[in-house]
Amino acid sequence: LIVQNNSFPFDKRVLREAHSLKEAGHNIFVICPQSDHDKKQNEFLNGISVRRYKDYVAKGGMWGYIFEYVNSMIRIYTLSLFAILKNKIDIIHVANPPDFFWPLAIISHLFRVKFIYDQHDLAPEMSFIKFKSHPIKNMLFLNERLSVKYSDAIITANGALKERLIKLWHVNDKKCTVVYNGPPEDFGPIQNPELIEKYKNFRVILYIGLMTVNDNIEVIIKAADKLVNKNNIKDLKFILVGDGDVREKMEKRSEKLSLTDNVEFVGLVNYDRVKEFIGVADVCIAPDKPNGLNEYLTLVKILEYMK
């Protein structure tokens, strides 16, 4: 299993896929970046081997992403080839974004290794929201097309993504399988007395998730400004759990609007901590706008809110 935009086991979709495969009797080897939560280079977790490489995380801007992806591809391709040559690898399963793994599909076929393309997000649409560049969008469409062409099987996160691939690239229906993602059955709010005491004088408005250009975090800041500053509702606490390349910018905007007492950026936290924040929330929000990307996505955080 290969994942580039998250570490393992922090990426819950890949974690559940790994556990399901392990329970089915397969040996699992995961390649992923290191992160603040998953720092060890080599680890063995519940029977799953994990190899993490040193990551460079883009802070925004095209050159930052280019450097991040070049660094990741060099390390992922090196580790993958080493695994293919050293061990008996039957299947390589890659999670997008990005869609730069199709050459690995060609290489894997030379060694009679099957290749699965697992589409989590839409890289072309996502890039256009960030950079407004048609050449970059078209280049990523080409990479997506080649990923589809050279894969032995395709997994999508919902039916809308599958229908899009069939419409764009005429994918054989039998080649593409929908595998939904959602909270585990035992997921639910945790009542943490410390957090309950900390926020007892506030009505808590909670956001959980990424903080990138397409996540519309600025909508939350605008809402906080209107409610707190313009409508003078001072007992509101907006808690934002997560991280991304616009977080620093949004924090500065919040400070500029004198919202530091009412808007709190928590950063990345573990899964139990997420449940604890849901346990103190009065309202859970998702500020996503129609933008050509969000219409295709099934956000796990919405299902977690509803649990």
Side-chain angles (χ1 to χ4, degrees):
L1 302 182
I2 297 172
V3 56
Q4 185 275 334
N5 67 337
N6 268 321
S7 62
F8 181 93
F10 185 80
D11 190 309
K12 293 299 178 287
R13 177 180 173 89
V14 178
L15 175 65
R16 290 169 193 140
E17 288 173 330
H19 283 169
S20 296
L21 290 167
K22 186 65 181 176
E23 290 171 5
H26 301 289
N27 295 320
I28 311 301
F29 174 52
V30 179
I31 297 173
C32 69
Q34 292 173 319
S35 72
D36 290 339
H37 284 279
D38 304 311
K39 297 180 179 180
K40 292 182 179 180
Q41 188 176 58
N42 294 290
E43 199 166 9
F44 196 65
L45 298 170
N46 299 319
I48 297 168
S49 298
V50 184
R51 177 63 187 269
R52 303 186 185 98
Y53 60 86
K54 188 174 182 180
D55 195 20
Y56 171 86
V57 180
K59 299 298 183 183
M62 189 182 303
W63 286 108
Y65 283 103
I66 290 173
F67 191 89
E68 176 186 342
Y69 288 143
V70 169
N71 171 70
S72 294
M73 292 305 105
I74 291 173
R75 295 176 184 273
I76 288 172
Y77 273 65
T78 300
L79 291 170
S80 300
L81 289 172
F82 183 77
I84 290 173
L85 294 172
K86 183 181 178 182
N87 305 301
K88 179 65 174 81
I89 303 295
D90 298 304
I91 299 171
I92 291 178
H93 172 289
V94 301
N96 94 320
D99 293 332
F100 301 147
F101 296 114
W102 57 267
L104 184 59
I106 297 174
I107 294 169
S108 67
H109 290 156
L110 296 176
F111 294 89
R112 298 184 179 180
V113 174
K114 299 292 185 180
F115 186 88
I116 296 176
Y117 170 58
D118 187 353
Q119 189 175 63
H120 294 187
D121 282 304
L122 303 180
E125 288 85 345
M126 190 183 301
S127 75
F128 191 73
I129 292 168
K130 290 179 179 178
F131 305 120
K132 306 300 182 186
S133 169
H134 286 285
I136 292 176
K137 181 180 180 181
N138 292 336
M139 182 271 290
L140 292 175
F141 268 126
L142 175 61
N143 275 272
E144 181 183 86
R145 181 181 181 183
L146 293 171
S147 298
V148 168
K149 178 180 179 179
Y150 290 113
S151 62
D152 295 286
I154 301 167
I155 295 172
T156 62
N158 61 31
L161 293 175
K162 178 179 179 178
E163 290 173 8
R164 174 185 167 280
L165 287 181
I166 292 173
K167 182 179 179 180
L168 275 177
W169 313 124
H170 309 291
V171 176
N172 187 315
D173 184 77
K174 294 182 179 179
K175 185 178 180 179
C176 190
T177 303
V178 177
V179 178
Y180 291 101
N181 191 20
E185 291 184 8
D186 61 351
F187 183 92
I190 295 176
Q191 302 300 313
N192 182 318
E194 179 185 343
L195 289 184
I196 292 171
E197 177 64 23
K198 180 179 179 180
Y199 299 115
K200 66 180 181 181
N201 296 321
F202 292 97
R203 287 178 284 176
V204 174
I205 301 168
L206 178 67
Y207 170 81
I208 298 171
L210 293 174
M211 299 184 191
T212 65
V213 173
N214 57 290
D215 294 300
N216 308 122
I217 305 302
E218 71 279 359
V219 172
I220 300 176
I221 306 302
K222 288 179 181 178
D225 181 42
K226 182 172 183 179
L227 293 170
V228 175
N229 292 332
K230 295 181 173 62
N231 293 355
N232 200 35
I233 306 174
K234 301 297 185 182
D235 67 337
L236 299 180
K237 177 71 79 171
F238 290 79
I239 300 176
L240 287 77
V241 178
D243 202 0
D245 51 29
V246 303
R247 176 185 167 183
E248 185 177 346
K249 180 180 178 181
M250 292 298 106
E251 284 189 276
K252 289 180 179 178
R253 183 177 296 183
S254 176
E255 292 172 5
K256 187 175 181 180
L257 294 169
S258 302
L259 290 169
T260 51
D261 290 337
N262 300 90
V263 178
E264 180 179 349
F265 289 82
V266 175
L268 294 174
V269 299
N270 62 40
Y271 213 36
D272 283 340
R273 195 65 168 171
V274 168
K275 298 176 187 178
E276 291 172 358
F277 277 110
I278 292 177
V280 296
D282 295 289
V283 177
C284 297
I285 59 173
D288 306 281
K289 299 177 182 178
N291 59 7
L293 170 67
N294 290 332
E295 294 89 331
Y296 288 98
L297 304 182
T298 302
L299 302 177
V300 176
K301 65 187 171 201
I302 303 298
L303 304 177
E304 291 174 342
Y305 293 161
M306 295 170 66
K307 286 280 280 186

